[in-house]
Amino acid sequence: KIKLLLENIPHEQIDNFSNSEITPQIIYGAKIVLDDNEIMMSKNIINQYNKIKNDLLFLRIFPSDKIQFSKYLNTLLDYRHTKLNKHKLNEYNLSFENNFDLFISEFCSNPSITGHVYLDICLSKNDGVFYAGGLFFLVNNNLHYYLRCHNPDLKSKVSFGLVFDYWFQEKAKNDGIKIIDYGRGDESYKFRLGAEKYQLFNVVLSPNSSKMFPNPPLLHNRKFLVDVP
């Protein structure tokens, strides 16, 4: 897998990796298996959902709805960068770059994945304020929860991100989804939703960063990470 990664690095960047230190790291992700067994969901999340569900509007948006899809995908990406700048200063991967936003937008609009990518969002039914949402990729009845965020500007005791997660999990179950993959990271909220831990790997490359990244401040206490499932 490391060889495949290096073979796909653009030729003009190969020299930057010629003296790289390559270190595989074990990390963890989280997933939910939707079978006949009851998911060990936090009752507090269910209670919050039941209290406010009548005030919420849930929408599923496909890339074919170009205006709405672009609008809410940009909202997710903007909130994601805000969160990264606050909480992820000690790590780095290519998805932190602004060019990633353009890449993911173009990728989602590619006709080859039509029907396999969509946004689910949660809005206020009264005034349309964005509460929470996620970007999902569907592969063989497995749902990959790729991008998740909630509105950080809301002043509320309600955990809208978790309320949204509960709604989409119930919908996924009704849609016949077998696995919800929350991806890398073992944050506690995933286990409150009933997820279980599984093993992933990082391949950490330490390139000649002065060549690859001309902006040194960007790399403050960060490494160049490539995810390997």
Side-chain angles (χ1 to χ4, degrees):
K1 290 182 177 179
I2 294 174
K3 181 180 178 183
L4 285 173
L5 285 168
L6 295 178
E7 286 177 349
N8 283 281
I9 294 172
H11 290 294
E12 62 270 17
Q13 294 185 2
I14 290 295
D15 289 343
N16 299 331
F17 286 92
S18 59
N19 296 314
S20 296
E21 177 185 352
I22 302 176
T23 309
Q25 292 181 341
I26 295 176
I27 60 172
Y28 293 95
K31 64 182 178 181
I32 295 176
V33 178
L34 299 175
D35 52 23
D36 294 333
N37 296 320
E38 183 178 357
I39 297 173
M40 300 302 293
M41 170 84 67
S42 166
K43 291 184 179 180
N44 182 50
I45 297 174
I46 300 174
N47 290 337
Q48 285 192 58
Y49 172 80
N50 288 330
K51 283 182 180 179
I52 65 171
K53 63 182 180 181
N54 292 331
D55 298 322
L56 304 177
L57 176 64
F58 295 97
L59 298 175
R60 175 159 294 176
I61 305 173
F62 290 91
S64 56
D65 187 347
K66 295 181 179 179
I67 294 177
Q68 290 299 306
F69 190 88
S70 177
K71 172 185 175 180
Y72 287 110
L73 178 59
N74 287 336
T75 297
L76 291 180
L77 291 168
D78 286 346
Y79 285 146
R80 177 177 183 274
H81 280 296
T82 299
K83 182 177 180 180
L84 290 175
N85 289 333
K86 286 184 178 180
H87 303 294
K88 298 286 186 176
L89 293 178
N90 292 323
E91 62 180 89
Y92 178 79
N93 67 59
L94 287 182
S95 70
F96 292 14
E97 294 285 340
N98 290 329
N99 285 341
F100 172 78
D101 295 1
L102 177 60
F103 163 75
I104 202 67
S105 297
E106 292 182 349
F107 181 77
C108 289
S109 62
N110 192 304
S112 66
I113 61 170
T114 298
H116 295 278
V117 57
Y118 55 83
L119 294 170
D120 279 344
I121 60 171
C122 174
L123 308 173
S124 166
K125 188 179 289 186
N126 295 325
D127 53 18
V129 170
F130 176 86
Y131 286 154
L135 173 65
F136 299 88
F137 294 100
L138 179 62
V139 183
N140 298 327
N141 287 329
N142 293 343
L143 194 61
H144 297 265
Y145 197 173
Y146 187 72
L147 185 61
R148 173 191 187 271
C149 82
H150 64 275
N151 188 337
D153 299 325
L154 296 174
K155 306 298 181 184
S156 173
K157 295 182 179 179
V158 175
S159 300
F160 285 104
L162 294 174
V163 167
F164 168 76
D165 290 335
Y166 174 72
W167 171 84
F168 100 78
Q169 282 188 196
E170 291 299 300
K171 180 164 178 55
K173 188 187 304 182
N174 292 332
D175 289 345
I177 300 300
K178 301 302 182 184
I179 293 176
I180 300 173
D181 190 339
Y182 277 83
R184 68 192 300 265
D186 55 357
E187 295 87 352
S188 61
Y189 78 86
K190 298 178 181 179
F191 304 107
R192 292 179 64 194
L193 293 163
E196 57 188 49
K197 186 183 294 187
Y198 71 98
Q199 186 173 292
L200 291 168
F201 292 93
N202 265 347
V203 176
V204 182
L205 306 179
S206 302
N208 297 323
S209 58
S210 61
K211 293 182 179 180
M212 177 162 284
F213 302 106
N215 185 7
L218 185 65
L219 291 175
H220 178 64
N221 289 331
R222 291 177 172 178
K223 289 185 177 181
F224 175 71
L225 301 180
V226 181
D227 288 338
V228 180

